[in-house]
Amino acid sequence: MGILKLKRPTFIHAIKSTILTTLLKNKHKKNSITLTHNTIYVLPSTLGVYFSIVALLNFVMGINYQNNLILFMAYLMFVIIIFALLLGYSNAKGLTVSFKNTIESYAPQPPQLVWQIKSNDTCQAITLSYPNNLEQDCYIESVKADTIQCQLPLPYLKRGRYLLKPIKIASNYPFGLVSVWSYIQPDHTVYVYPSIIKTPNQKQLSEMTANDDEGAEKHLGDDEFESLITHLPEMGLQRVSWKHYAKTQQLLVKQFSDFKSADTQFDFNLMTGDTEQRLGQLCYLVCQAFESDINYSMKLPNKSIENGSGKLHLQRCLQALSSVGTDYE
């Protein structure tokens, strides 16, 4: 019986916690939220609680001593608290907070979230904060019927990928007597790329430099006329140069070529040092390849990325480097 008495409250608490978490996710797990009556929470702040206690003491003292002036002061303080609660709610109501994009970073620099905030009416003293954030919060003094942007630093300094936690939208307007807050949790993954470390592997550097200097390799294709070659039976007649046949009575075929960038492969196993140092060297190489505009592929312990170039290919490679040996945090 004793064991059952200990387990029952824990079980009930777990159910309540699960229900609360589910309700919050349904209402707040989105990329954009407009604060309304069902997504705004209002309570007296710490200062407001002390203010209410003083008002209550004044009320009790006014009754005991039958002092109308003290009772009037107590009533006035209660009115101020109620007025502050209503004004704080109306201040936040209608505010729209939207997640725009992420400014990803290289360790140990923190990534940042870019937010767009707008309101149909004037909204005062809004703060966006992230759990366990050692960096500064995003504070907006006033939103005056227009759209503004702000950046919120995240407390992630180590390489990895992170699922966003609920971001708190809060205000202590007016007078600091009330706390008005809500949450927003975008369904988004943030990446912190490895630190950029110049690789001592001269083979990889020289291969990339050689491909950059040579510029292109020649392949058979359809882009540019290269030469005439003797016609063979299996070639068909589509590319026969009939002008040359009319002059020389020889069947000659036009050969074309196209030019593609030389390919480079960056291999995790060819790097030196521990895992973080190797990832940092690969990060350096893919950034250099992007700057040089050459094609490259990458081989990691658990993944291979095919040949490509451009900004999207760079982002895909950096995200793969961030994810090696890590899980969502």
Side-chain angles (χ1 to χ4, degrees):
M1 293 296 293
I3 295 177
L4 290 175
K5 287 182 180 179
L6 287 174
K7 284 188 174 181
R8 189 176 177 185
T10 304
F11 178 71
I12 294 174
H13 176 73
I15 291 177
K16 288 181 178 179
S17 177
T18 303
I19 293 174
L20 180 61
T21 303
T22 303
L23 289 174
L24 287 178
K25 282 186 176 180
N26 289 338
K27 290 197 296 183
H28 299 280
K29 196 166 185 179
K30 52 185 68 176
N31 290 338
S32 179
I33 188 171
T34 298
L35 302 190
T36 58
H37 68 280
N38 63 336
T39 55
I40 298 177
Y41 310 100
V42 184
L43 282 176
S45 63
T46 303
L47 179 61
V49 171
Y50 292 146
F51 190 85
S52 300
I53 291 174
V54 172
L56 182 61
L57 291 175
N58 283 338
F59 179 75
V60 172
M61 187 168 59
I63 291 178
N64 288 340
Y65 291 99
Q66 296 183 354
N67 190 313
N68 292 332
L69 183 60
I70 296 177
L71 284 173
F72 174 77
M73 182 60 67
Y75 292 141
L76 181 60
M77 294 178 72
F78 284 127
V79 169
I80 291 175
I81 281 291
I82 296 173
F83 176 74
L85 290 170
L86 295 174
L87 194 58
Y89 169 80
S90 63
N91 176 64
K93 186 178 180 181
L95 182 73
T96 300
V97 179
S98 304
F99 170 70
K100 299 302 293 180
N101 62 283
T102 304
I103 302 176
E104 292 169 338
S105 63
Y106 299 86
Q109 297 298 321
Q112 297 186 6
L113 303 180
V114 179
W115 298 92
Q116 180 175 285
I117 302 173
K118 65 178 181 179
S119 176
N120 295 328
D121 300 317
T122 301
C123 185
Q124 306 284 347
I126 300 297
T127 301
L128 271 64
S129 58
Y130 196 82
N132 304 319
N133 196 352
L134 300 179
E135 301 291 330
Q136 62 180 359
D137 296 332
C138 178
Y139 176 76
I140 300 98
E141 183 175 355
S142 178
V143 183
K144 297 181 179 179
D146 57 359
T147 301
I148 63 173
Q149 285 193 352
C150 70
Q151 296 178 1
L152 175 64
L154 299 180
Y156 302 135
L157 305 179
K158 294 183 179 180
R159 175 190 66 85
R161 55 180 182 173
Y162 304 87
L163 285 175
L164 290 179
K165 297 178 181 179
I167 290 92
K168 186 176 182 180
I169 309 163
S171 175
N172 293 117
Y173 178 87
F175 317 131
L177 296 177
V178 296
S179 291
V180 182
W181 76 96
S182 185
Y183 297 98
I184 180 172
Q185 185 177 5
D187 186 13
H188 186 73
T189 301
V190 175
Y191 292 87
V192 178
Y193 303 143
S195 300
I196 297 178
I197 302 174
K198 187 172 182 179
T199 178
N201 190 320
Q202 295 301 319
K203 180 181 179 182
Q204 293 271 258
L205 286 173
S206 59
E207 181 181 351
M208 183 175 64
T209 304
N211 287 340
D212 189 23
D213 291 340
E214 292 171 6
E217 289 181 347
K218 189 165 57 177
H219 303 271
L220 292 178
D222 301 312
D223 290 348
E224 186 174 338
F225 172 76
E226 184 184 32
S227 61
L228 291 171
I229 60 175
T230 304
H231 178 268
L232 298 176
E234 64 271 16
M235 290 183 176
L237 301 176
Q238 292 86 353
R239 295 186 177 180
V240 171
S241 177
W242 297 108
K243 289 184 179 180
H244 287 83
Y245 177 76
K247 293 180 180 179
T248 63
Q249 300 299 312
Q250 289 183 331
L251 280 177
L252 299 177
V253 178
K254 296 179 181 178
Q255 181 171 288
F256 295 84
S257 63
D258 58 14
F259 291 86
K260 297 181 180 179
S261 297
D263 301 337
T264 302
Q265 185 182 65
F266 303 129
D267 193 339
F268 177 87
N269 295 322
L270 297 180
M271 302 297 107
T272 58
D274 59 19
T275 299
E276 294 303 320
Q277 290 174 333
R278 293 186 181 202
L279 294 176
Q281 293 167 27
L282 287 173
C283 185
Y284 169 81
L285 289 172
V286 298
C287 289
Q288 290 296 313
F290 171 72
E291 293 294 333
S292 301
D293 195 25
I294 64 173
N295 288 357
Y296 60 93
S297 59
M298 189 169 63
K299 186 177 180 181
L300 298 174
N302 59 344
K303 185 177 183 180
S304 294
I305 298 179
E306 61 185 10
N307 190 62
S309 63
K311 190 173 182 179
L312 290 179
H313 184 64
L314 171 67
Q315 186 179 34
R316 184 163 58 248
C317 291
L318 291 176
Q319 290 179 354
L321 290 173
S322 303
S323 306
V324 171
T326 65
D327 201 354
Y328 285 106
E329 297 186 18

